[in-house]
Short mmCIF file of all heavy atoms in Angstrom, two decimals:
data_model
loop_
_atom_site.label_atom_id
_atom_site.label_comp_id
_atom_site.label_asym_id
_atom_site.label_seq_id
_atom_site.Cartn_x
_atom_site.Cartn_y
_atom_site.Cartn_z
N GLU A 1 6.92 -2.77 -12.02
CA GLU A 1 7.79 -2.81 -10.83
C GLU A 1 7.20 -2.05 -9.65
O GLU A 1 7.92 -1.44 -8.86
CB GLU A 1 9.18 -2.32 -11.20
CG GLU A 1 9.81 -3.23 -12.24
CD GLU A 1 11.26 -2.92 -12.53
OE1 GLU A 1 11.77 -1.87 -12.10
OE2 GLU A 1 11.89 -3.75 -13.18
N GLN A 2 5.88 -2.14 -9.50
CA GLN A 2 5.21 -1.49 -8.38
C GLN A 2 5.76 -1.99 -7.05
O GLN A 2 5.85 -1.24 -6.08
CB GLN A 2 3.70 -1.73 -8.45
CG GLN A 2 3.00 -1.03 -9.58
CD GLN A 2 3.09 -1.75 -10.91
OE1 GLN A 2 3.63 -2.84 -11.01
NE2 GLN A 2 2.55 -1.13 -11.94
N HIS A 3 6.14 -3.25 -7.00
CA HIS A 3 6.68 -3.81 -5.76
C HIS A 3 7.94 -3.08 -5.30
O HIS A 3 8.18 -2.94 -4.11
CB HIS A 3 6.96 -5.31 -5.93
CG HIS A 3 8.02 -5.61 -6.95
ND1 HIS A 3 7.81 -5.48 -8.32
CD2 HIS A 3 9.29 -6.02 -6.80
CE1 HIS A 3 8.92 -5.81 -8.96
NE2 HIS A 3 9.83 -6.13 -8.05
N LEU A 4 8.73 -2.60 -6.24
CA LEU A 4 9.94 -1.87 -5.87
C LEU A 4 9.61 -0.52 -5.22
O LEU A 4 10.30 -0.08 -4.31
CB LEU A 4 10.83 -1.65 -7.10
CG LEU A 4 11.37 -2.93 -7.75
CD1 LEU A 4 12.16 -2.59 -9.01
CD2 LEU A 4 12.21 -3.73 -6.78
N VAL A 5 8.55 0.12 -5.68
CA VAL A 5 8.11 1.38 -5.09
C VAL A 5 7.68 1.15 -3.64
O VAL A 5 7.95 1.95 -2.75
CB VAL A 5 6.94 1.99 -5.91
CG1 VAL A 5 6.39 3.24 -5.25
CG2 VAL A 5 7.39 2.27 -7.34
N THR A 6 7.05 0.02 -3.40
CA THR A 6 6.51 -0.31 -2.08
C THR A 6 7.58 -0.80 -1.11
O THR A 6 7.40 -0.74 0.10
CB THR A 6 5.41 -1.37 -2.25
OG1 THR A 6 4.48 -0.91 -3.22
CG2 THR A 6 4.66 -1.62 -0.96
N ASN A 7 8.71 -1.25 -1.61
CA ASN A 7 9.78 -1.77 -0.75
C ASN A 7 10.20 -0.79 0.34
O ASN A 7 10.45 -1.18 1.48
CB ASN A 7 11.01 -2.15 -1.57
CG ASN A 7 10.85 -3.49 -2.26
OD1 ASN A 7 9.90 -4.23 -2.02
ND2 ASN A 7 11.78 -3.80 -3.14
N GLY A 8 10.28 0.48 0.02
CA GLY A 8 10.72 1.48 1.00
C GLY A 8 9.83 1.51 2.23
O GLY A 8 10.31 1.53 3.36
N ALA A 9 8.53 1.49 2.01
CA ALA A 9 7.60 1.51 3.15
C ALA A 9 7.72 0.21 3.95
O ALA A 9 7.76 0.24 5.19
CB ALA A 9 6.16 1.70 2.66
N SER A 10 7.79 -0.91 3.27
CA SER A 10 7.91 -2.19 3.97
C SER A 10 9.18 -2.25 4.79
O SER A 10 9.18 -2.69 5.95
CB SER A 10 7.90 -3.35 2.97
OG SER A 10 6.62 -3.53 2.42
N GLN A 11 10.27 -1.80 4.22
CA GLN A 11 11.56 -1.82 4.93
C GLN A 11 11.54 -0.90 6.14
O GLN A 11 12.08 -1.23 7.20
CB GLN A 11 12.69 -1.46 3.97
CG GLN A 11 12.93 -2.53 2.93
CD GLN A 11 13.84 -2.08 1.81
OE1 GLN A 11 14.21 -0.91 1.71
NE2 GLN A 11 14.19 -3.00 0.94
N LEU A 12 10.91 0.27 6.00
CA LEU A 12 10.83 1.21 7.13
C LEU A 12 10.07 0.59 8.30
O LEU A 12 10.53 0.66 9.44
CB LEU A 12 10.17 2.51 6.70
CG LEU A 12 9.98 3.54 7.82
CD1 LEU A 12 11.33 4.00 8.36
CD2 LEU A 12 9.16 4.71 7.34
N PHE A 13 8.93 -0.03 8.04
CA PHE A 13 8.16 -0.64 9.13
C PHE A 13 8.94 -1.78 9.77
O PHE A 13 8.88 -1.96 10.99
CB PHE A 13 6.78 -1.09 8.64
CG PHE A 13 5.83 0.06 8.50
CD1 PHE A 13 5.46 0.52 7.26
CD2 PHE A 13 5.34 0.70 9.63
CE1 PHE A 13 4.61 1.60 7.14
CE2 PHE A 13 4.48 1.78 9.52
CZ PHE A 13 4.11 2.24 8.26
N ALA A 14 9.68 -2.55 9.00
CA ALA A 14 10.51 -3.62 9.57
C ALA A 14 11.62 -3.03 10.44
O ALA A 14 11.92 -3.56 11.51
CB ALA A 14 11.09 -4.49 8.46
N GLU A 15 12.21 -1.92 10.02
CA GLU A 15 13.27 -1.29 10.81
C GLU A 15 12.72 -0.68 12.09
O GLU A 15 13.34 -0.80 13.15
CB GLU A 15 13.96 -0.20 9.98
CG GLU A 15 14.86 -0.74 8.90
CD GLU A 15 15.48 0.37 8.06
OE1 GLU A 15 15.58 1.52 8.54
OE2 GLU A 15 15.88 0.08 6.92
N VAL A 16 11.58 -0.02 12.02
CA VAL A 16 11.01 0.65 13.19
C VAL A 16 10.45 -0.34 14.20
O VAL A 16 10.67 -0.20 15.41
CB VAL A 16 9.92 1.66 12.77
CG1 VAL A 16 9.16 2.20 13.97
CG2 VAL A 16 10.53 2.80 11.96
N PHE A 17 9.76 -1.37 13.73
CA PHE A 17 9.04 -2.28 14.63
C PHE A 17 9.68 -3.66 14.75
O PHE A 17 9.17 -4.51 15.48
CB PHE A 17 7.58 -2.43 14.17
CG PHE A 17 6.79 -1.17 14.27
CD1 PHE A 17 6.48 -0.43 13.14
CD2 PHE A 17 6.36 -0.69 15.50
CE1 PHE A 17 5.76 0.75 13.22
CE2 PHE A 17 5.64 0.49 15.60
CZ PHE A 17 5.34 1.21 14.45
N GLY A 18 10.79 -3.91 14.08
CA GLY A 18 11.44 -5.22 14.15
C GLY A 18 10.50 -6.31 13.65
O GLY A 18 9.81 -6.13 12.65
N ASP A 19 10.46 -7.44 14.36
CA ASP A 19 9.60 -8.55 13.94
C ASP A 19 8.13 -8.16 13.89
O ASP A 19 7.37 -8.71 13.09
CB ASP A 19 9.77 -9.75 14.88
CG ASP A 19 11.12 -10.43 14.71
OD1 ASP A 19 11.76 -10.22 13.66
OD2 ASP A 19 11.54 -11.15 15.63
N LYS A 20 7.71 -7.20 14.71
CA LYS A 20 6.32 -6.74 14.71
C LYS A 20 6.00 -5.95 13.44
O LYS A 20 4.83 -5.74 13.12
CB LYS A 20 6.03 -5.87 15.93
CG LYS A 20 6.19 -6.58 17.25
CD LYS A 20 5.76 -5.73 18.42
CE LYS A 20 6.43 -4.38 18.48
NZ LYS A 20 6.06 -3.57 19.65
N GLY A 21 7.01 -5.54 12.71
CA GLY A 21 6.81 -4.75 11.50
C GLY A 21 6.77 -5.57 10.23
O GLY A 21 6.50 -5.05 9.15
N VAL A 22 7.04 -6.88 10.34
CA VAL A 22 6.97 -7.76 9.17
C VAL A 22 5.50 -8.02 8.86
O VAL A 22 4.74 -8.38 9.76
CB VAL A 22 7.74 -9.07 9.44
CG1 VAL A 22 7.62 -10.00 8.25
CG2 VAL A 22 9.20 -8.76 9.74
N HIS A 23 5.11 -7.84 7.62
CA HIS A 23 3.68 -7.83 7.28
C HIS A 23 3.42 -8.45 5.92
O HIS A 23 4.32 -8.61 5.11
CB HIS A 23 3.18 -6.38 7.27
CG HIS A 23 4.02 -5.49 6.40
ND1 HIS A 23 5.14 -4.86 6.88
CD2 HIS A 23 3.95 -5.18 5.09
CE1 HIS A 23 5.71 -4.18 5.90
NE2 HIS A 23 5.01 -4.36 4.78
N ALA A 24 2.16 -8.77 5.67
CA ALA A 24 1.71 -9.12 4.33
C ALA A 24 1.60 -7.83 3.55
O ALA A 24 1.43 -6.75 4.13
CB ALA A 24 0.35 -9.81 4.40
N ARG A 25 1.68 -7.93 2.22
CA ARG A 25 1.56 -6.69 1.46
C ARG A 25 1.11 -6.96 0.04
O ARG A 25 1.28 -8.04 -0.49
CB ARG A 25 2.84 -5.90 1.49
CG ARG A 25 3.84 -6.33 0.47
CD ARG A 25 5.02 -5.42 0.45
NE ARG A 25 5.74 -5.67 -0.79
CZ ARG A 25 6.81 -5.07 -1.16
NH1 ARG A 25 7.33 -4.14 -0.40
NH2 ARG A 25 7.39 -5.35 -2.30
N SER A 26 0.55 -5.92 -0.54
CA SER A 26 0.14 -5.92 -1.94
C SER A 26 0.61 -4.62 -2.55
O SER A 26 0.55 -3.57 -1.92
CB SER A 26 -1.38 -6.01 -2.07
OG SER A 26 -1.87 -7.19 -1.51
N ALA A 27 1.08 -4.70 -3.79
CA ALA A 27 1.47 -3.52 -4.55
C ALA A 27 0.73 -3.59 -5.88
O ALA A 27 0.90 -4.55 -6.63
CB ALA A 27 2.98 -3.49 -4.77
N VAL A 28 -0.08 -2.59 -6.15
CA VAL A 28 -0.96 -2.61 -7.31
C VAL A 28 -0.73 -1.37 -8.15
O VAL A 28 -0.64 -0.26 -7.62
CB VAL A 28 -2.44 -2.67 -6.85
CG1 VAL A 28 -3.38 -2.71 -8.04
CG2 VAL A 28 -2.67 -3.86 -5.93
N GLY A 29 -0.66 -1.55 -9.46
CA GLY A 29 -0.55 -0.42 -10.38
C GLY A 29 -1.92 0.09 -10.76
O GLY A 29 -2.83 -0.70 -11.01
N VAL A 30 -2.07 1.41 -10.78
CA VAL A 30 -3.34 2.04 -11.17
C VAL A 30 -3.05 3.14 -12.18
O VAL A 30 -1.95 3.68 -12.23
CB VAL A 30 -4.09 2.60 -9.95
CG1 VAL A 30 -4.48 1.50 -8.98
CG2 VAL A 30 -3.28 3.66 -9.23
N ALA A 31 -4.07 3.49 -12.98
CA ALA A 31 -3.91 4.52 -14.01
C ALA A 31 -3.69 5.90 -13.40
O ALA A 31 -2.88 6.68 -13.89
CB ALA A 31 -5.12 4.53 -14.92
N GLN A 32 -4.41 6.20 -12.32
CA GLN A 32 -4.22 7.49 -11.64
C GLN A 32 -4.79 7.42 -10.23
O GLN A 32 -5.58 6.54 -9.92
CB GLN A 32 -4.87 8.63 -12.42
CG GLN A 32 -6.38 8.58 -12.49
CD GLN A 32 -6.92 9.72 -13.35
OE1 GLN A 32 -6.46 9.92 -14.46
NE2 GLN A 32 -7.89 10.44 -12.84
N LEU A 33 -4.35 8.35 -9.40
CA LEU A 33 -4.80 8.45 -8.02
C LEU A 33 -5.37 9.84 -7.77
O LEU A 33 -5.04 10.79 -8.49
CB LEU A 33 -3.62 8.18 -7.07
CG LEU A 33 -3.13 6.74 -7.05
CD1 LEU A 33 -1.78 6.65 -6.37
CD2 LEU A 33 -4.13 5.84 -6.37
N PRO A 34 -6.19 10.00 -6.75
CA PRO A 34 -6.77 11.31 -6.44
C PRO A 34 -5.69 12.37 -6.22
O PRO A 34 -4.63 12.09 -5.66
CB PRO A 34 -7.56 11.06 -5.15
CG PRO A 34 -7.86 9.60 -5.17
CD PRO A 34 -6.68 8.95 -5.85
N LEU A 35 -5.99 13.57 -6.67
CA LEU A 35 -5.14 14.74 -6.48
C LEU A 35 -3.76 14.59 -7.11
O LEU A 35 -2.80 15.24 -6.71
CB LEU A 35 -5.01 15.09 -4.99
CG LEU A 35 -6.32 15.33 -4.25
CD1 LEU A 35 -6.08 15.52 -2.76
CD2 LEU A 35 -7.05 16.55 -4.84
N GLY A 36 -3.62 13.68 -8.07
CA GLY A 36 -2.35 13.50 -8.76
C GLY A 36 -1.28 12.82 -7.93
O GLY A 36 -0.10 12.90 -8.26
N ALA A 37 -1.67 12.14 -6.85
CA ALA A 37 -0.70 11.46 -6.00
C ALA A 37 0.03 10.37 -6.79
O ALA A 37 -0.52 9.78 -7.72
CB ALA A 37 -1.39 10.85 -4.79
N CYS A 38 1.27 10.10 -6.41
CA CYS A 38 2.06 9.04 -7.04
C CYS A 38 1.78 7.69 -6.39
O CYS A 38 1.77 6.67 -7.07
CB CYS A 38 3.55 9.35 -6.92
SG CYS A 38 4.03 10.86 -7.75
N VAL A 39 1.61 7.71 -5.07
CA VAL A 39 1.43 6.47 -4.31
C VAL A 39 0.40 6.71 -3.22
O VAL A 39 0.38 7.77 -2.59
CB VAL A 39 2.76 6.00 -3.65
CG1 VAL A 39 2.56 4.75 -2.82
CG2 VAL A 39 3.84 5.78 -4.69
N GLU A 40 -0.44 5.73 -3.00
CA GLU A 40 -1.37 5.75 -1.87
C GLU A 40 -1.14 4.46 -1.09
O GLU A 40 -1.03 3.39 -1.68
CB GLU A 40 -2.80 5.81 -2.39
CG GLU A 40 -3.84 5.89 -1.30
CD GLU A 40 -5.24 6.09 -1.86
OE1 GLU A 40 -5.43 7.00 -2.68
OE2 GLU A 40 -6.13 5.30 -1.48
N ILE A 41 -1.02 4.58 0.22
CA ILE A 41 -0.74 3.40 1.05
C ILE A 41 -1.82 3.23 2.10
O ILE A 41 -2.19 4.17 2.79
CB ILE A 41 0.64 3.52 1.73
CG1 ILE A 41 1.74 3.60 0.67
CG2 ILE A 41 0.89 2.33 2.66
CD1 ILE A 41 3.12 3.80 1.23
N GLU A 42 -2.29 2.00 2.20
CA GLU A 42 -3.26 1.63 3.24
C GLU A 42 -2.55 0.67 4.19
O GLU A 42 -1.82 -0.21 3.75
CB GLU A 42 -4.46 0.93 2.60
CG GLU A 42 -5.46 0.41 3.61
CD GLU A 42 -6.60 -0.35 2.94
OE1 GLU A 42 -6.35 -1.07 1.97
OE2 GLU A 42 -7.73 -0.21 3.42
N LEU A 43 -2.78 0.86 5.47
CA LEU A 43 -2.10 0.07 6.47
C LEU A 43 -3.10 -0.53 7.44
O LEU A 43 -3.99 0.17 7.92
CB LEU A 43 -1.12 0.98 7.24
CG LEU A 43 -0.06 0.35 8.09
CD1 LEU A 43 0.90 -0.48 7.25
CD2 LEU A 43 0.72 1.43 8.82
N VAL A 44 -2.95 -1.82 7.73
CA VAL A 44 -3.77 -2.50 8.74
C VAL A 44 -2.84 -2.81 9.91
O VAL A 44 -1.80 -3.45 9.72
CB VAL A 44 -4.41 -3.79 8.19
CG1 VAL A 44 -5.21 -4.49 9.29
CG2 VAL A 44 -5.30 -3.48 6.99
N VAL A 45 -3.22 -2.35 11.10
CA VAL A 45 -2.39 -2.47 12.29
C VAL A 45 -3.17 -3.15 13.40
O VAL A 45 -4.35 -2.88 13.58
CB VAL A 45 -1.93 -1.06 12.75
CG1 VAL A 45 -1.15 -1.13 14.04
CG2 VAL A 45 -1.14 -0.38 11.67
#
C-alpha cells in the first residue's frame, strides 16, 4: 500500500496549486532508505 503513503503528498500539491498541482506519480516500496528515513520524495516541477 505504498500508494496510500504517497496520497498525502499528492493531495497537498493539488490543494496548494489547484489544476497546476495535478501530476503523474509513482510510489515504490524499498527495503530501506538512507539515514533510516521512512519516505523519500522526488519532485519534477
